[in-house]
């Protein structure tokens, strides 16, 4: 591997290497296949200045930022506000939904608030709670596959991968399924706050409407569960205690909204990307068909090889250094998780999709450390069951399209627009 360039220039004309890497996440080539660009970044400009941010592409550097205390997620709301332009100047209450979401949702909070929230929600996401969902996930997945199997095909994203996490979340929260697609659509708007680069100031009004309506709806459900508790996760979250501390009703509603925002599209694309990876690597599909117990490690390999969440952000809370490059307090850092997952310094033969790898534990598809994905276990089990059912029987699966298009609605997410399949 080439040595990294000496990257010091504060204006971002940053590399001593003459051959600078072009990074344009909006280009169709990058959408189709971002991995050669990531490889070039790791080799030539591992910490690279781009408009307003630093790109970090090597596994060791990504991990160092996620592990360390010098970078925070709690400053992301400031970036959102800056992007929103009028947000600061708006009349009090105009952006009340967005304000409460970015002030209190677990993704944006810092310790001690962050640790407190994780303690109070942990028991609905821990390994015991996830394992208990296996029968429900299997039942929903079988139900969704029944008609497509009879019909001889499906559009795997709309018919299956979109609905499985949506219906499971409704089931866990005790919501009617009809509410699932409404929550999904509100959450898709709210998710823009995690990817504010793509937001024009005018988008903030529609995001505010979506967040406000979603929170009003969920608050109604939370109040109802307070009066009449059940065995759903909303009732469990309301009953949770840490000594004298408990979640407020608003925090319970925000946790539910956050689950849809962080967990729906990501899980959908984990399933979609996984189906595609297996179909494009027939030797690995054959291994899985011969040993369905490999479905869990196939899921991990999809998270490494084609992760639905390609990057995450941090802001430096003090002057810091990454891979020998100075980062100033307040600067934004984009951690290229998908690049770290292909780092040849950590993974043998990183560009091969291999479901029996021994080095899978090192992937950062669910992040790392105290902010690692809260719902990772659940998403993992949903995808594992999807692959068990799809590749565990006698039905042969084929792609029913020559060309597939990757979604272009979000920079941080990677998944297809459609995935038509034929069953035989
Ligand atoms: C394939 C599916 C998923 C992927 C790839 C994924 C990925 C991630 C990643 C990479 C992070 C860390 C972000 C960071 O460090 O900035 C994260 C955090 C988080 N995820 Fe997931 N996620 C998935 C599914 C879910 C689900 C199903 C839920 C909830 C039901 C969920 C809830 C969260 C929450 C609340 C956080 C923030 C944790 C914190 O800040 O402490 N995710 N996720």
């Amino acid at each position: 591997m080439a040595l990294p360039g000496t990257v010091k220039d504060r204006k971002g004309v940053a590399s001593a290497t003459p051959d600078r890497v072009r990074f344009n996440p909006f280009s169709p080539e990058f959408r189709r296949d971002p991995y050669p660009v990531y490889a070039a970044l790791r080799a030539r400009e591992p910490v690279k200045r781009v408009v307003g941010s630093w790109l970090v592409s090597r596994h060791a550097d990504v991990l160092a930022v996620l592990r360390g205390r010098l970078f925070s997620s709690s400053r992301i709301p400031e970036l959102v506000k800056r992007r929103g332009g009028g947000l600061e100047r708006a009349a009090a209450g105009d952006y009340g939904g967005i304000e409460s979401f970015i002030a209190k949702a677990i993704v944006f909070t810092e310790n001690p608030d962050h640790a407190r929230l994780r303690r109070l929600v942990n028991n609905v996401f821990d390994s015991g709670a996830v394992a208990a969902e296996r029968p429900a996930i299997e039942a929903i997945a079988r139900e969704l596959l029944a008609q497509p199997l009879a019909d001889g095909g499906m559009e795997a994203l709309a018919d299956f991968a979109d609905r499985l996490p949506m219906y499971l979340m409704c089931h866990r929260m005790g919501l009617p399924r009809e509410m699932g697609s409404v929550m999904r659509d509100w959450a898709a708007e709210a998710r823009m706050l995690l990817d504010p680069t793509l937001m024009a100031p005018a988008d903030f009004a529609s995001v505010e409407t979506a967040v406000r309506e979603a929170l009003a709806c969920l608050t109604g459900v939370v109040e109802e569960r307070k009066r009449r508790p059940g065995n759903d996760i909303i009732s469990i979250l309301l009953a949770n205690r840490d000594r004298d501390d408990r979640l407020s009703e608003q925090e319970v509603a925000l946790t539910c909204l956050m689950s849809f925002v962080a967990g729906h599209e990501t899980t959908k694309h984990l399933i979609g990307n996984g189906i595609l990876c297996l179909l494009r690597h027939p030797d690995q599909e054959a291994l899985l068909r011969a040993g369905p117990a490999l479905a869990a490690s196939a899921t991990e390999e999809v998270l490494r090889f084609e992760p639905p969440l390609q990057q995450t952000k941090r802001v430096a809370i003090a002057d810091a250094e990454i891979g020998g490059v100075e980062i100033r307090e307040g600067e934004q850092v984009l951690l290229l998780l998908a690049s770290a997952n292909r780092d040849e310094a950590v993974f043998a033969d990183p560009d091969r999709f291999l479901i029996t790898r021994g080095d899978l534990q090192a992937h950062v598809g669910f992040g790392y450390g105290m902010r690692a994905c809260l719902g990772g276990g659940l998403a993992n089990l949903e995808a594992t069951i999807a692959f068990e059912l799809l590749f565990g029987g006698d039905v042969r699966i084929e792609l029913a399209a020559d060309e597939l298009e990757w979604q272009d609605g979000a920079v941080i997410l990677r998944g297809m627009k459609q995935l038509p399949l034929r069953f035989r």
Side-chain angles (χ1 to χ4, degrees):
M1 189 195 300
L3 286 172
T6 315
V7 188
K8 284 284 179 189
D9 185 329
R10 301 267 311 118
K11 291 201 176 82
V13 190
S15 179
T17 317
D19 194 7
R20 296 194 57 204
V21 182
R22 274 179 61 83
F23 179 79
N24 176 6
F26 304 102
S27 79
E29 300 76 38
F30 185 86
R31 289 273 174 212
R32 262 195 305 278
D33 185 8
Y35 299 102
V37 177
Y38 294 151
L41 285 170
R42 285 194 305 276
R44 304 210 299 268
E45 293 182 273
V47 183
K48 177 185 172 71
R49 191 80 169 127
V50 290
V51 200
S53 295
W54 292 95
L55 288 178
V56 179
S57 50
R58 286 185 177 173
H59 190 277
D61 293 336
V62 167
L63 217 58
V65 173
L66 290 175
R67 269 198 190 122
R69 305 268 161 194
L70 292 177
F71 295 88
S72 150
S73 305
S74 67
R75 302 247 180 128
I76 305 294
E78 288 169 28
L79 298 176
V80 172
K81 285 182 179 172
R82 239 183 277 156
R83 189 85 198 166
L87 214 55
E88 302 275 30
R89 295 185 301 279
D94 278 2
Y95 288 102
I98 294 181
E99 297 274 2
S100 61
F101 189 66
I102 60 182
K104 295 211 164 155
I106 194 165
V107 195
F108 300 120
T109 54
E110 198 50 86
N111 278 336
D113 297 343
H114 178 257
R116 169 185 172 264
L117 285 174
R118 283 210 64 135
R119 260 197 314 276
L120 282 164
V121 304
N122 186 51
N123 68 338
V124 302
F125 294 106
D126 66 14
S127 54
V130 169
E133 298 293 0
R134 181 172 260 275
I137 300 171
E138 277 183 1
I140 297 168
R142 282 185 201 283
E143 177 196 332
L144 290 173
L145 288 175
Q147 192 60 46
L149 284 169
D151 292 346
M154 66 177 176
E155 199 285 89
L157 293 183
D159 297 342
F160 181 65
D162 179 71
R163 290 184 190 167
L164 177 55
M166 188 165 85
Y167 290 171
L168 182 70
M169 273 194 259
C170 290
H171 164 78
R172 300 190 84 215
M173 293 177 198
L175 306 174
R177 277 189 183 178
E178 307 80 74
M179 254 179 83
S181 51
V182 183
M183 285 303 307
R184 173 199 60 195
D185 295 346
W186 281 330
E189 291 271 345
R191 198 254 305 132
M192 291 175 83
L193 295 169
L194 300 178
D195 201 0
T197 354
L198 281 188
M199 286 179 81
D203 291 330
F204 281 79
S206 60
V207 171
E208 170 63 22
T209 306
V211 173
R212 206 181 269 260
E213 289 180 358
L215 286 177
C217 172
L218 286 166
T219 304
V221 178
V222 171
E223 281 165 3
E224 167 65 22
R225 291 303 148 74
K226 211 170 172 191
R227 286 193 294 275
R228 267 193 289 276
N231 53 7
D232 55 278
I233 65 166
I234 295 179
S235 304
I236 296 172
L237 289 169
L238 281 168
N240 278 349
R241 293 283 181 279
D242 181 28
R243 296 193 199 127
D244 293 338
D245 193 14
R246 63 184 187 83
L247 295 167
S248 68
E249 287 163 40
Q250 187 200 32
E251 285 168 338
V252 173
L254 281 168
T255 303
C256 294
L257 176 57
M258 196 64 234
S259 298
F260 276 97
V261 172
H264 175 260
E265 276 179 287
T266 45
T267 308
K268 165 182 166 180
H269 290 307
L270 174 61
I271 295 169
N273 293 358
I275 295 172
L276 183 66
C277 285
L278 287 159
L279 294 180
R280 283 194 169 160
H281 298 87
D283 57 330
Q284 301 302 302
E285 184 192 346
L287 273 179
L288 178 57
R289 285 187 178 279
L294 285 172
S297 63
T299 302
E300 295 291 345
E301 176 64 344
V302 179
L303 282 159
R304 183 195 73 82
F305 186 82
E306 202 61 280
L309 197 66
Q310 295 264 303
Q311 53 171 266
T312 191
K313 287 188 190 59
R314 293 291 185 270
V315 177
I317 55 173
D319 290 351
E321 199 185 291
I322 307 174
V325 178
E326 279 175 44
I327 311 291
R328 292 290 163 89
E329 180 186 351
E331 287 183 335
Q332 183 180 217
V333 173
L334 299 181
L335 303 173
L336 299 175
L337 304 171
S339 169
N341 282 352
R342 300 277 190 121
D343 192 329
E344 34 294 280
V346 175
F347 300 98
D349 225 349
D351 292 326
R352 285 187 67 200
F353 177 75
L354 298 170
I355 66 172
T356 50
R357 291 182 167 273
D359 47 15
L360 272 175
Q361 295 314 316
H363 81 72
V364 286
F366 282 138
Y368 183 86
M370 65 172 197
R371 310 204 81 100
C373 182
L374 191 60
L378 200 63
N380 210 314
L381 187 60
E382 289 174 73
T384 298
I385 289 172
F387 303 149
E388 282 169 5
L389 293 181
L390 284 166
F391 296 98
D394 295 332
V395 178
R396 296 283 132 188
I397 305 173
E398 288 169 1
L399 282 175
D402 297 331
E403 289 281 320
L404 293 171
E405 266 187 84
W406 292 90
Q407 68 80 23
D408 48 14
V411 172
I412 58 177
L413 276 177
R414 180 157 173 83
M416 282 150 293
K417 288 183 179 170
Q418 293 194 324
L419 182 60
L421 301 181
R422 232 183 339 258
F423 295 135
R424 290 214 268 166

